[in-house]
Amino acid sequence: MNDLAPLLTPEGRALLDDVRGTAPADELAVATRLRREHPAELVSAALGQARLRQRAVAKFGAEDAERMFFTPNGVEQSTRASVAAYRALRLKSMGVTSVADLCCGIGGDAIALARAGIRVLAVDRDPLTAAAARANADALGLAGLIDVREADVTEVDTAPYDAVFVDPARRGGRGRIFDPEAYSPPLSWAVQAALKAPHAALKVAPGIPHEAVPAQAEAEWISDGGDVKEAVLWFGGTAPGAVRATLLPGPRTLLGRGLPDPEVRPVGRYLYEPDGAVVRAHLVAEVAQEVEGGLVDSTIAYVTSDALHPTPYATAYEITDQLPFNVKKLKALLRERGVGILTVKKRGSAVEPEELRRKALPKQHGPHSATVFLTRVAGAPTMLIGAPARAVTGAGPS
């Protein structure tokens, strides 16, 4: 599909309605039927778009996804709607009324900004991607707030706008790009564009090294439902050098306080698994202080405490057993406890959870469930067995 225009015609839109929700197993029969009355290329394009819309539901929700237009890369690389909405509201809280959205993709961030009442210039150099962004602004009734421009973002004058948002491409022909200077455009260019604007937000991969964060920026790591989605570098109206972890839904935000690394201590009654955004932001020490705990190992982001403390930034588990790593001993313990449902988590272990689950679960499954953590305790491979602590509201496993 190299041109969206045929799908935007009355015939194309009618076909999209006709193929909505088509299961993969039914595509051949549906295509055969529709090609009797419509051009084969248009039928193929409609079925392809239907597949993309089905994939996009996870990010945009069914109501929007069924009206929007996508490209394969657009579905893969676009921001989840909940994260984009959070970012847009944060910009609005800074007094931003207009944003230059550079590398806008199919328009997911522009949509969130416009729904927050912010005027958007959405720019992308790829003709098909820009066409999708324009079609999406129109499909969702936001064309009055979103001006889509097909252009090279490095040539766009952002001076008339309150803020700049840059979402560089982080995928190439060989997959994900981890070097920020290999982004398109490079992070260094995006930082210079940010420094020229009153406010700016740069979306980067959550694995960005902390030393690559510019001194002028605040760094924020965002998770949604326990899954780390992105990091954002904020400029203007924020505290340079500040670090935060934000958990959605909520939002709940943990600010870095510059604490030293927690001390290592023996495993207590409770184990806390910090949310992935907390770990990426290097704020495990802040969680440890909240729960009056320490680390099980100096290199592992598991916090242990003798007491149960409510925190949204970690999921708490009550530990019943601590054993050296040994599959036979684990299997015997699970059989004795009547465990039939086993959740395996790991940090600092090379063992594959699925493999351990297959080997350790008894053939005669019992009615109970358990969680086993494969980790290191004071440097030694260890198994910690327990279950979620009921009295703590956690952010969900990361």
Side-chain angles (χ1 to χ4, degrees), residues 324-345:
F325 180 79
N326 186 300
V327 177
K328 288 185 178 180
K329 288 185 177 180
L330 177 61
K331 187 172 184 176
L333 184 146
L334 297 178
R335 184 185 298 111
E336 178 186 331
R337 304 275 172 84
V339 172
I341 302 172
L342 182 65
T343 300
V344 181
K345 293 175 171 288

Side-chain angles (χ1 to χ4, degrees), residues 34 54 56 76 109 122 146 151 154 180 230 233 238 266 269 274:
L34 293 175
Q54 289 169 11
E76 184 71 28
D109 289 289
I146 302 175
T154 63
E230 64 180 56
L233 306 182
T238 58
R269 182 175 177 182

Side-chain angles (χ1 to χ4, degrees), residues 12 49 125 215 243 292 353 363 381 393:
Q49 191 61 225
R125 69 181 179 182
V243 176
E292 300 177 358
K363 291 183 180 179
T393 301

Side-chain angles (χ1 to χ4, degrees), residues 13 21-22 47 52 67 76 82 110 126 146 149 153 184 199-200 206 227 243 256 283 312 321 341 346 348 361 370 382:
R13 292 180 184 276
T22 300
L47 285 168
L52 293 175
R67 292 187 289 165
E76 184 71 28
S82 55
D126 179 69
I146 302 175
R149 185 181 304 174
V153 297
S184 180
H199 300 277
D227 295 325
V243 176
L283 299 181
D321 300 271
I341 302 172
K346 70 168 190 171
L361 270 179
T382 303

Side-chain angles (χ1 to χ4, degrees), residues 1 28 55 59 79 108 129 150 159 204 341 392:
M1 183 184 64
L28 181 58
R55 286 172 53 194
K59 285 188 174 182
T79 305
T129 303
E150 180 189 328
V204 294
I341 302 172
V392 169

Side-chain angles (χ1 to χ4, degrees), residues 92-313:
K92 189 176 180 65
S93 72
M94 297 175 184
V96 169
T97 62
S98 61
V99 171
D101 177 3
L102 308 181
C103 309
C104 70
I106 55 93
D109 289 289
I111 290 166
L113 290 163
R115 283 177 167 167
I118 297 172
R119 182 170 54 87
V120 186
L121 170 66
V123 184
D124 204 285
R125 69 181 179 182
D126 179 69
L128 179 60
T129 303
R134 191 174 293 111
N136 289 334
D138 182 63
L140 300 180
L142 299 168
L145 284 170
I146 302 175
D147 175 21
V148 179
R149 185 181 304 174
E150 180 189 328
D152 185 329
V153 297
T154 63
E155 299 175 358
V156 174
D157 178 16
T158 61
Y161 298 88
D162 297 338
V164 167
F165 173 70
V166 188
D167 181 5
R170 294 179 299 283
R171 285 184 179 271
R174 297 183 178 180
R176 292 185 180 181
I177 297 171
F178 297 98
D179 178 7
E181 283 308 296
Y183 292 174
S184 180
L187 179 60
S188 56
W189 179 89
V191 169
Q192 291 306 308
L195 293 174
K196 295 176 185 176
H199 300 277
L202 311 182
K203 178 181 171 181
V204 294
I208 185 173
H210 280 234
E211 56 269 23
V213 175
Q216 307 95 320
E218 173 201 293
E220 178 179 30
W221 278 262
I222 302 173
S223 68
D224 189 8
D227 295 325
V228 184
K229 293 302 177 184
E230 64 180 56
V232 186
L233 306 182
W234 296 92
F235 298 78
T238 58
V243 176
R244 66 169 68 198
T246 296
L247 282 54
L248 302 176
R252 297 183 176 93
T253 295
L254 180 65
L255 292 172
R257 301 191 289 273
L259 300 179
D261 291 340
E263 293 184 358
V264 176
R265 53 149 290 172
V267 176
R269 182 175 177 182
Y270 297 98
L271 186 77
Y272 293 84
E273 181 185 31
D275 183 89
V278 171
V279 176
R280 292 283 194 177
H282 295 180
L283 299 181
V284 174
E286 279 71 8
V287 169
Q289 187 179 74
E290 282 196 7
V291 302
E292 300 177 358
L295 299 178
V296 300
D297 185 275
S298 61
T299 63
I300 305 294
Y302 283 141
V303 175
T304 186
S305 175
D306 296 320
L308 190 57
H309 296 273
T311 174
Y313 305 112

Side-chain angles (χ1 to χ4, degrees), residues 33 68 105 137 149 175 180 197 200 207 216 274 299 309 314 318 368 371 373-374:
R33 172 176 61 83
M68 293 172 66
R149 185 181 304 174
Q216 307 95 320
T299 63
H309 296 273
E318 185 170 6
H368 303 299
T371 300
F373 294 87
L374 305 178

